[in-house]
Amino acid sequence: MRQSSSIYARKAIAQAPDHLDRTELFAMCKLDGDEPADLSTMVAEEDYIALLARIADAEDGLPRAHIRLGASLRCEDLGAVGLAWKSSPTLMDGWDRAQRYVGVVSGVRALELTRGDQTTEIRFLRLTDEAPLGARLSNEATFASFTAICREASGRPFSPVRAMCGHEFIGDKTFLEEYLDCTVEDRAGVNAIVVSNDEMALPNAVGDDAISRFFDERVEQMLAEMPCDLPLSQQVKSEIGKKLSGGVPKLSDIAKSLGLSARTLQRKLSEEDAVFQELVDQARRELSQRLLRTTQYPLVEIAFLTGFAEQSGFTRAFKRWAGETPRSYRLSAASDQ
């Protein structure tokens, strides 16, 4: 059974018309409205799309609640992928990470990026006019949620160049166009937003994500303890940790972020008797152990955040590092607290 985060259902209910019974809406998704929001709580996809349809049916005029739902989404609402998005140096890096995350978690290519000379087309789930009403409403909300996340991560008044909806638009298209600040074409055959490559290449403004903070704190601690400059190998490990959710970085990528050539970085690491691949392993091990101790992210999300293409590869590597499975490590850490 397909599921979606209960955060989306809660945000949908928050946008519902006032005359709808909130208790009834929460019950549709088998949620308790008095319980605090929890990223790990899931809702059956069929219940979520039924909720969207119920809310839209109760609205006066063309539906807008699902669009406001999408616009209210924030990076923190996306769990691991939101954390990765916020740590990305540019929007392009964020989208690359999002594409990889969706592939790892879902096992299918539900998000596709096609780069052109001037723009990048970002396509998502394909739906036809025969799809359930709630599913199409969820599809329309995605245009607003993608834009909201880009605006938060970039710290700019981001807008797509244009948006294309694969089915006949159900909601208030003018309302969405005003939010996106671009035109929306419906019955376009694809679901996509088109974004300027110049916009995608600009630096992101948000930089306080947990991954970067974890490695930065380690660097600051070592700087305080050491009378000399921080070893280059430690700087490299910190940079690796920041980039892992985009996949394992190449030595050339790390060299570039440190303002060095790949050859110079390789030579300097050799002078410290450090091996790049060993630093990658150390960064992955330390980050995975930290996430297992301090978060409740599912193992598949931790695999994503530490640069693995699938959970099984992460489990094998962790057993090699720690001598036990990630699950048993998490249970042991919890019992020690």
Side-chain angles (χ1 to χ4, degrees), residues 155-307:
R156 300 186 296 275
F158 166 89
S159 292
V161 174
R162 67 180 183 279
M164 297 174 285
C165 181
H167 57 78
E168 183 176 5
F169 210 81
I170 300 166
D172 189 334
K173 190 168 71 168
T174 300
F175 182 67
L176 177 61
E177 288 177 332
E178 289 175 352
Y179 177 73
L180 301 182
D181 193 26
C182 75
T183 59
V184 177
E185 176 189 355
D186 63 352
R187 292 191 172 183
V190 296
N191 299 302
I193 60 171
V194 178
V195 184
S196 160
N197 286 343
D198 289 341
E199 176 76 50
M200 294 278 269
L202 291 173
N204 280 347
V206 180
D208 61 349
D209 64 281
I211 296 175
S212 291
R213 188 162 58 245
F214 169 61
F215 282 96
D216 288 345
E217 286 173 356
R218 292 288 300 273
V219 170
E220 291 171 7
Q221 179 183 353
M222 294 187 70
L223 278 170
E225 295 173 351
M226 297 179 61
C228 57
D229 291 339
L230 186 69
L232 179 63
S233 59
Q234 296 301 322
Q235 297 178 47
V236 168
K237 188 166 69 171
S238 176
E239 290 299 319
I240 292 169
K242 294 176 185 179
K243 297 178 183 296
L244 278 174
S245 60
V248 176
K250 298 177 181 178
L251 184 143
S252 57
D253 296 329
I254 300 301
K256 183 177 180 181
S257 66
L258 293 174
L260 301 171
S261 69
R263 180 175 296 181
T264 298
L265 176 58
Q266 186 71 68
R267 176 175 56 79
K268 288 180 175 290
L269 286 176
S270 296
E271 291 173 357
E272 294 184 10
D273 292 324
V275 178
F276 182 74
Q277 188 55 51
E278 291 178 358
L279 294 175
V280 170
D281 251 21
Q282 291 172 26
R284 294 174 113 178
R285 182 186 69 244
E286 292 176 14
L287 179 56
S288 63
Q289 290 176 332
R290 188 258 183 180
L291 291 172
L292 287 166
R293 288 195 310 269
T294 63
T295 78
Q296 291 302 313
Y297 290 149
L299 297 184
V300 68
E301 295 195 353
I302 294 179
F304 161 73
L305 287 173
T306 49

Side-chain angles (χ1 to χ4, degrees), residues 109-128:
R109 294 189 64 184
L111 189 65
E112 298 178 356
L113 274 64
T114 303
R115 292 176 174 83
D117 292 337
Q118 303 296 324
T119 60
T120 294
E121 181 180 280
I122 303 164
R123 293 190 181 189
F124 53 97
L125 184 65
R126 297 173 178 82
L127 290 172
T128 67

Side-chain angles (χ1 to χ4, degrees), residues 69-85:
L69 152 66
S72 72
L73 207 66
R74 297 294 178 267
C75 289
E76 64 183 15
D77 299 323
L78 300 178
V81 69
L83 192 70
W85 211 319

Side-chain angles (χ1 to χ4, degrees), residues 139-152:
N139 196 54
E140 293 174 11
T142 302
F143 294 102
S145 62
F146 279 179
T147 299
I149 291 298
C150 285
R151 286 174 180 169
E152 182 189 2

